[in-house]
Amino acid sequence: MIKVTGLYEACEELERERGISKEDILEALKDAMVAAYKRHFRIKEATNIEAILVEETSEIGIFRTKVVVDMISDPDTEIPLDEAKEIDEDVEVDDEVKIEVTPEQFGRIAAQTAKQVLTQRIRDAERNNILNEFLEKKGTLTTGIIQRVEGRNVIVNIGKTDAIMPQREQIPGEYYKVGNRIRVFVLNVKETNRLPQVIVSHAHAEIVRELFELEVPEIEDGIVEIKSIAREAGYRTKLAVWSNDEEVDSVGACIGPRGSRIQTIVGELKNEKIDIVRWSPDPVEYIVNAIAPARVVSVDIMADDEEAHEAMVVVPDDQLSLAIGRDGQNVRLAHKLTQWKIDIKSVSQMEQAEAENIRNYEEPDEVEEEDIDTQDELQAEIEEEMNQQVVDEEDLVADSVDESEEAAEEE
């Protein structure tokens, strides 16, 4: 057998540095020894070869398991009874014995092969550990350090690996400086041949949820519940909250004493505007809250099925631009928050539309009366023509009779 000095100390150090268990490293070492032995003797298929490690002496060797027989037919898998008794006096036919086959000067060959196998095994184990760790972190918030910017992607170190933050997951206009700490949302984890590829986001709506859960104890305790989030990163976020306790104000809890909680979150999000609205099971009330800060005159439910969810919102004339928001941002976020299609009109626009509807409703009646008068006149003309035709036919018959009588008299 081969003496391996400091083996267990090295395994414990690898376990501390790489997070790979000592047992996995020792198993990899034994597999490497078997692989080296098979390569040295050019053995492709053999299931009765194994490496045995004696922990007390830190020795490792290659052993071949053989079956005890009276007559040998395969020397690679069988051993005669007399030779087997030299190893173990109590052995009998059909028993199995382990025979050491560690070659002399095998240490150097084994070391080279073991290094290759161990390196690959350590990489595989490290990749699996990272994969499992970040699969657990998927959908959560973590802190990283910006390492570098590659093209349009930002590379963020989040511990044992570097994550990629693509352009679509970045906040528009944000400058990402190398070395800065940043809170990111673990969006996805993809397994690759090398280290797992972790995709993170700085613009995801769930970042706002995580920040509120960290800053608002009532949310963490389950008293206040975040029902919905609509975010346009870097510009504005709408948050719908609901209190399960009548004595706790959901909006006030999120704002905090003198706005301390909301100010902390706004600072974390680089002064992004946050609207906290009260969620309601009543769609009309919920839509009114979502349109805030604009005042609402009325809300008419146009369709309330799962596919449509359409509502008409009427606001004062001076509130129309506020209700719609710059580039339609306010109504767009309200739609994302409530999942209702919202059409906003001012009071004057509604009055004008109603007036047009009334006029369009009356005009068809006038047309119908004109059509009736025209039809009556046409009918009278037809009857007059028919009567005239009858008179003409009677005159024609009379003229024919007179002509016939005159002809008879001449004859």
Side-chain angles (χ1 to χ4, degrees), residues 71-206:
M71 298 290 294
I72 295 179
S73 59
D74 184 1
D76 291 334
T77 59
E78 297 174 341
I79 184 173
L81 180 61
D82 55 343
E83 292 184 14
K85 284 190 174 291
E86 294 178 3
I87 300 172
D88 184 359
E89 294 181 356
D90 299 329
V91 75
E92 297 179 358
V93 176
D94 294 333
D95 287 347
E96 291 183 347
V97 293
K98 296 184 183 296
I99 303 168
E100 184 179 358
V101 291
T102 308
E104 295 182 3
Q105 306 299 325
F106 185 61
R108 181 178 59 84
I109 300 171
Q112 292 177 349
T113 306
K115 181 181 178 181
Q116 297 173 359
V117 176
L118 270 174
T119 301
Q120 185 61 41
R121 286 294 186 87
I122 289 172
R123 286 176 180 171
D124 292 343
E126 191 174 25
R127 183 177 68 248
N128 291 333
N129 287 344
I130 294 173
L131 180 64
N132 294 332
E133 177 182 348
F134 285 100
L135 281 175
E136 293 178 358
K137 289 185 177 181
K138 182 179 177 180
T140 62
L141 200 64
T142 187
T143 301
I145 300 175
I146 298 174
Q147 294 292 310
R148 59 191 182 277
V149 178
E150 294 182 352
R152 297 182 177 180
N153 297 330
V154 178
I155 309 302
V156 182
N157 181 268
I158 51 175
K160 295 181 180 179
T161 189
D162 288 343
I164 300 174
M165 183 166 63
Q167 186 183 26
R168 66 179 182 275
E169 299 300 336
Q170 301 169 22
I171 295 178
E174 181 81 6
Y175 175 69
Y176 295 98
K177 184 180 179 181
V178 175
N180 282 1
R181 297 181 68 84
I182 185 174
R183 281 183 182 271
V184 291
F185 182 79
V186 181
L187 198 62
N188 196 10
V189 181
K190 298 179 180 178
E191 186 175 2
T192 64
N193 293 331
R194 301 180 67 185
L195 291 177
Q197 187 182 74
V198 183
I199 309 297
V200 297
S201 172
H202 195 215
H204 200 278
E206 288 300 313

Side-chain angles (χ1 to χ4, degrees), residues 385-401:
E385 289 180 1
M386 290 180 65
N387 293 334
Q388 184 63 40
Q389 185 177 0
V390 172
V391 171
D392 292 342
E393 288 178 354
E394 290 177 351
D395 292 342
L396 182 60
V397 172
D399 292 341
S400 299
V401 172

Side-chain angles (χ1 to χ4, degrees), residues 353-371:
E354 290 175 358
E356 289 178 358
N357 289 336
I358 294 172
R359 186 165 57 252
N360 292 335
Y361 175 77
E362 292 176 348
E363 286 177 355
D365 293 339
E366 296 175 359
V367 172
E368 287 179 4
E369 290 177 0
E370 292 177 0
D371 289 344

